[in-house]
């Protein structure tokens, strides 16, 4: 597999992030992957190469990142970015993948407002209910989820320095409880970073920045849920 990829180094780029951690390694062939090392003038990159996703694409993980990608034949720009130390440009922009298949519970918190929701799985169907027995306003809950899923990083901590004058106030927080995998619970925290930006911390990653406006929108939707 590595030899096949070596022949196409000039024409490959990342097209899709398929996993944020190692939970799907066996499925992607990354649990027994071969290693492809790319050495540049000022940097080097090691790729774990898994199974083929289809007739043209391979599953890969750039070490030591926890993220798994699908690598396809495209432009050489992606490899140039990796070699010259700009790998952040290849990272997925979304802050949350929106996969609820392993989630049994979600707790949203913003200020004094907290909403805990239980997820019940029946095959491919998921039903939702409030933890504690109260009636769930599903439409209002779905708006919060949609806002979180469509939120994308505007910049990165490597580009902008934080401003300590704004502290680390948490604007919005989502805790996910999983029904499988090695990690039973994961917390996504969006905290104040500077005048215009908030930092996202999730699953070991803390380099993404979103605008304060986006963070406040999520907090506002949670506030609206309880205001109805």
């Amino acid at each position: 597999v590595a030899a096949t990829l070596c022949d196409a180094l000039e024409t490959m780029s990342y097209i899709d992030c398929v996993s944020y951690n190692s939970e799907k390694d066996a499925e992607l062939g990354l649990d027994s992957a071969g290693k492809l090392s790319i050495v540049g003038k000022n940097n080097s990159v090691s790729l774990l190469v898994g199974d083929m996703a289809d007739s043209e694409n391979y599953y890969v993980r750039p070490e030591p990142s926890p993220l798994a990608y699908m690598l396809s034949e495209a432009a050489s720009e992606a490899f140039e970015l990796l070699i010259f130390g700009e790998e952040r440009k290849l990272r997925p922009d979304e802050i949350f993948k929106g996969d609820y298949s392993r989630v049994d519970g979600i707790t949203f918190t913003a200020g004094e407002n907290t909403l805990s929701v239980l997820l019940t799985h029946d095959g491919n169907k998921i039903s939702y209910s409030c933890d504690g027995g109260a009636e769930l306003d599903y439409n209002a809950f779905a708006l919060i989820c949609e806002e979180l899923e469509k939120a994308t990083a505007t910049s990165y901590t490597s580009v902008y320095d934080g401003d300590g004058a704004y502290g680390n106030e948490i604007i919005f927080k989502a805790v996910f409880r999983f029904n499988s995998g090695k990690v039973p619970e994961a917390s996504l925290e969006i905290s104040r970073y500077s005048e215009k930006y908030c930092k996202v911390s999730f699953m070991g990653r803390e380099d993404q920045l979103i605008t304060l406006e986006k963070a406040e929108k999520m907090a506002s939707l949670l506030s609206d849920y309880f205001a109805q």
Side-chain angles (χ1 to χ4, degrees), residues 19-36:
S19 178
Y20 284 100
N21 51 48
S22 60
E23 298 298 335
K24 295 183 178 180
D25 276 9
E27 178 184 338
L28 306 179
L30 291 169
D31 56 337
S32 58
K35 183 178 292 187
L36 174 64

Side-chain angles (χ1 to χ4, degrees), residues 21 29 44 60 64 116 130 160 191-192 226:
N21 51 48
S44 63
V60 300
S116 292
C130 273
Y160 290 101
S191 56
R192 194 69 185 269
F226 291 101

Side-chain angles (χ1 to χ4, degrees), residues 8-14 38 71-84 90:
L9 279 181
E10 295 299 322
T11 58
M12 293 191 296
S13 66
Y14 292 103
I38 308 163
L71 191 67
S72 73
E73 295 188 16
S76 61
E77 176 186 2
F79 276 93
E80 292 174 1
L81 291 172
L82 284 171
I83 294 300
F84 291 105
L90 298 174

Side-chain angles (χ1 to χ4, degrees), residues 124-136:
N124 293 325
K125 295 182 179 180
I126 303 176
S127 58
Y128 302 84
S129 61
C130 273
D131 187 0
E135 183 178 354
L136 175 68

Side-chain angles (χ1 to χ4, degrees), residues 77-142:
E77 176 186 2
F79 276 93
E80 292 174 1
L81 291 172
L82 284 171
I83 294 300
F84 291 105
E86 298 184 60
E87 65 275 6
R88 64 173 182 79
K89 295 183 180 179
L90 298 174
R91 299 170 187 170
D93 289 331
E94 69 270 19
I95 66 173
F96 175 64
K97 198 170 181 62
D99 178 7
Y100 299 99
S101 61
R102 295 193 306 112
V103 178
D104 273 353
I106 307 172
T107 299
F108 293 133
T109 303
E112 298 180 354
N113 296 313
T114 297
L115 173 64
S116 292
V117 177
L118 301 176
L119 283 69
T120 302
H121 301 266
D122 183 9
N124 293 325
K125 295 182 179 180
I126 303 176
S127 58
Y128 302 84
S129 61
C130 273
D131 187 0
E135 183 178 354
L136 175 68
D137 185 338
Y138 177 78
N139 291 332
F141 164 71

Side-chain angles (χ1 to χ4, degrees), residues 203-220:
M203 300 294 282
R205 184 174 183 180
E206 298 188 358
D207 66 324
Q208 291 177 308
L209 299 178
I210 65 171
T211 63
L212 176 62
E213 180 181 5
K214 290 180 181 178
E216 290 181 336
K217 175 65 174 179
M218 295 179 209
S220 176

